[in-house]
Amino acid sequence: MYTSVISSPALGSLLAICCFPLLILLHSWGFRLKKPESKGLLALLAASIFYISCIYFLLVKILLTSHPVHLGGGFLSALLLIFGYMELYSMILRGFSLQLLSSLYRSPGLNFTQILASYAGGRGIDWLWEKRLRDLQKLRLLERHSTALSAQTPRGVWAGRLANYYKKLFYMGKGG
Amino acid sequence: MLDSTLGELAGFVVSQFLLFYMAHFLIWRFISVGKKGVFLISFIALLTFTILSFLGIWHGWLGSSADLWLAGPGFFLLVMLYLHFYTAIDRSVSLRLLGELVRRHPPQLNFSELQQVYASEEMVASRLQLLVQKGFLTQEGSQGFYYCSAKGRILARITFCLQALYGIKEAG
């Protein structure tokens, strides 16, 4: 039984799945240590490096295999899980729909105007705008003046153009 | 155990991804905006992978079924990266704002113009409509009061648990 698992081509992927809870635990622990948002990605990067190192250590030092199917399958599966986890993490941290759902779970039976005011624990929808504008400014995608917004930086212009072009190409509607 | 060379496997994975992308592109031209989403993309990816893997083994493009343990994670990793890109383009409030800005020459909007092209009300209304459409919310009464459905309540509880795990206080 033990030998058949070791010689299985699925070994790397299985190890990546088994070690995955380690990534979540390390990241949530690191996230709690640092200030949320600003250091969240840094904590995730550190947890990911540790997670991949664990898979490598288990494969090469404990199970004594360096076969390309085991190593490649393990690393690619680990990267797949990391990027999937990143999507989930980003939804929890910034998900607009999830936040609307949470607001309505806390206070059921709100109408449209009340939802606008009660968004994100009563901070209101303007708080979301403020947060997004602050992030775009930080990333230098947008410049904020006293009465206007502008996308003067090349990367801001290219990001906006790419988004518009892709939406048009795939008939995705306005988005956002 | 590895019956194909790494180059052959990489070629197989890239071909699979290109076929998935073409299928996604074609399907997206014929279905309505409401039906487009990550679940359908994931389904197309799974279908492409299953069919091409079967053909790959049958026609001998892959050395053996063991090679799928390397090709599979590789293909789904590319799909996952694409999903990140797609979600950002489709759902991101920030990218929508930048998109509205670059439609102008010079790329500039004052706050009243911004309210016209991308109002907060529109942003919330479109999401509420989507949540109702997907069965997470229900709308009741003449004044349109919103309630979480059973599915919505489960998702909200999972969100609270995960936010508590990370100690997130300012989500959204």
Side-chain angles (χ1 to χ4, degrees):
Chain A
M1 177 73 180
Y2 178 73
T3 320
S4 69
V5 170
I6 299 293
S7 60
S8 162
L11 180 68
S13 302
L14 284 173
L15 261 182
I17 294 167
C18 292
C19 294
F20 182 60
L22 190 70
L23 175 79
I24 302 175
L25 286 174
L26 281 172
H27 179 224
S28 58
W29 178 66
F31 194 91
R32 279 170 172 278
L33 282 184
K34 301 283 179 184
K35 264 225 177 262
E37 286 194 61
S38 54
K39 305 283 185 204
L41 276 176
L42 203 67
L44 180 58
L45 182 70
S48 302
I49 292 170
F50 189 80
Y51 167 57
I52 289 179
S53 307
C54 277
I55 294 169
Y56 179 81
F57 179 79
L58 285 171
L59 281 172
V60 177
K61 302 286 177 194
I62 306 287
L63 299 169
L64 303 172
T65 172
S66 55
H67 198 282
V69 171
H70 291 156
L71 283 178
F75 290 146
L76 289 172
S77 300
L79 284 175
L80 173 65
L81 290 170
I82 290 167
F83 280 106
Y85 174 73
M86 266 174 83
E87 186 69 40
L88 178 82
Y89 161 70
S90 135
M91 272 167 65
I92 295 162
L93 192 65
R94 294 170 68 90
F96 179 38
S97 306
L98 281 183
Q99 202 52 46
L100 283 173
L101 206 63
S102 305
S103 298
L104 282 162
Y105 180 82
R106 279 199 194 105
S107 338
L110 299 178
N111 64 23
F112 185 71
T113 321
Q114 290 166 326
I115 291 172
L116 289 179
S118 69
Y119 182 81
R123 292 183 194 95
I125 205 69
D126 290 339
W127 169 81
L128 171 82
W129 268 116
E130 190 54 43
K131 194 180 171 192
R132 293 294 191 271
L133 291 177
R134 213 171 46 221
D135 290 348
L136 284 168
Q137 257 185 307
K138 247 189 242 171
L139 292 168
R140 293 186 190 162
L141 289 166
L142 179 139
E143 280 166 27
R144 199 170 172 182
H145 312 286
S146 57
T147 57
L149 300 169
S150 67
Q152 304 283 18
T153 61
R155 74 168 100 163
V157 172
W158 281 109
R161 277 187 193 156
L162 176 71
N164 286 347
Y165 176 72
Y166 210 79
K167 281 175 195 165
K168 208 171 150 185
L169 187 70
F170 278 77
Y171 298 97
M172 285 159 71
K174 286 179 172 178
Chain B
M1 197 169 15
L2 188 67
D3 296 312
S4 312
T5 64
L6 285 177
E8 281 168 348
L9 270 179
F12 183 70
V13 168
V14 172
S15 312
Q16 271 185 323
F17 184 77
L18 288 176
L19 278 169
F20 148 75
Y21 192 76
M22 276 163 62
H24 160 51
F25 177 75
L26 286 174
I27 292 168
W28 252 234
R29 294 190 90 84
F30 297 109
I31 61 170
S32 62
V33 175
K35 287 180 184 158
K36 293 170 183 171
V38 290
F39 286 109
L40 187 56
I41 296 179
S42 309
F43 178 72
I44 298 168
L46 198 64
L47 201 67
T48 314
F49 180 75
T50 310
I51 294 170
L52 287 181
S53 300
F54 176 73
L55 286 174
I57 294 166
W58 193 40
H59 279 286
W61 303 331
L62 279 174
S64 73
S65 58
D67 294 349
L68 286 177
W69 288 102
L70 203 51
F75 170 73
F76 286 108
L77 177 61
L78 289 180
V79 173
M80 181 60 77
L81 292 173
Y82 177 70
L83 280 179
H84 273 263
F85 171 75
Y86 180 87
T87 315
I89 298 277
D90 190 34
R91 294 266 180 266
S92 167
V93 172
S94 309
L95 277 178
R96 166 79 193 275
L97 175 62
L98 284 173
E100 294 295 346
L101 276 170
V102 297
R103 277 182 221 274
R104 312 258 164 158
H105 299 285
Q108 194 166 322
L109 278 172
N110 62 40
F111 290 107
S112 59
E113 286 171 328
L114 176 66
Q115 193 63 20
Q116 279 170 7
V117 293
Y118 191 27
S120 315
E121 288 81 6
E122 182 204 325
M123 185 168 79
V124 178
S126 66
R127 284 303 169 101
L128 287 173
Q129 197 189 345
L130 186 75
L131 288 167
V132 171
Q133 228 173 48
K134 302 274 177 194
F136 290 105
L137 292 180
T138 55
Q139 202 179 3
E140 293 166 24
S142 55
Q143 284 196 304
F145 293 114
Y146 288 91
Y147 294 90
C148 285
S149 65
K151 199 163 99 171
R153 279 196 294 275
I154 293 171
L155 188 59
R157 276 190 213 124
I158 295 172
T159 309
F160 288 138
C161 287
L162 290 170
Q163 284 177 348
L165 176 74
Y166 295 102
I168 296 171
K169 289 186 182 80
E170 280 197 3

